[in-house]
Amino acid sequence: MARGIPHHVIRYFEAVPMFGSVSKAGIRALIQAATEVDLPPGKDVVREGDTDQDLFVIIEGTLRVSRRGRRIGDLGTGDFFGELAFLSRGQRTATVTTTSQTRLMVLGARDFRSVVEREPKLALQVLEAAATRLRELDRRSL
């Protein structure tokens, strides 16, 4: 990411529930640890069953979330995904596919853990956000 972090990127990270009470310095550390990626429409960002552990914040664009081939939701600018696989070090619980030109910030698990060591509050916030997201996914798949 460029030396100066755009204000809208900071706002999107601050709006992610698990980053809500993280200090400004912590938010900046998360953003600086992330990688910016541009993707075309129709690209699978993550696939259900895969074992990668990245966390994603959507800077621009729209994405479809599906489970077992069935659409269960949509994501857009300012949303995030990937926290369940990160926390559990397990398989992805859904496939997420771009539906428009999309810009993401990708935070790798190792980089995320490094930031968590400096911002301990973040660990509890991640757990709370993951529990909420899991409940939402279960409700949508019924």
Side-chain angles (χ1 to χ4, degrees):
M1 167 127 283
R3 186 172 183 213
I5 300 171
H7 293 294
H8 69 281
V9 174
I10 294 171
R11 283 195 313 270
Y12 295 151
F13 269 74
E14 288 174 336
V16 173
M18 67 183 165
F19 302 154
S21 62
V22 175
S23 70
K24 294 279 186 194
I27 292 289
R28 287 184 178 280
L30 287 169
I31 295 169
Q32 289 170 340
T35 302
E36 189 172 328
V37 177
D38 289 310
L39 299 171
K43 174 79 173 164
D44 285 345
V45 181
V46 298
R47 291 188 179 142
E48 184 176 2
D50 283 357
T51 56
D52 58 308
Q53 298 177 349
D54 295 331
L55 176 73
F56 301 86
V57 176
I58 305 165
I59 302 303
E60 182 180 316
T62 56
L63 299 96
R64 178 184 60 246
V65 181
S66 58
R67 185 187 266 173
R68 293 184 296 276
R70 196 173 122 222
R71 182 174 160 257
I72 60 171
D74 296 295
L75 299 170
T77 300
D79 287 331
F80 68 98
F81 61 97
E83 74 284 359
L84 294 178
F86 168 77
L87 285 174
S88 68
R89 297 183 186 183
Q91 295 181 331
R92 295 284 184 186
T93 60
T95 297
V96 180
T97 307
T98 60
T99 56
S100 69
Q101 185 66 32
T102 300
R103 176 169 289 160
L104 302 169
M105 295 298 292
V106 183
L107 187 59
R110 183 177 302 155
D111 296 325
F112 189 85
R113 286 185 187 103
S114 174
V115 174
V116 167
E117 288 174 7
R118 294 189 306 269
E119 289 283 336
K121 279 190 208 177
L122 190 56
L124 180 58
Q125 293 164 345
V126 168
L127 290 172
E128 290 170 352
T132 299
R133 182 65 58 97
L134 188 55
R135 275 188 233 121
E136 290 172 6
L137 286 171
D138 281 345
R139 191 172 347 117
R140 289 179 186 164
S141 65
L142 296 175

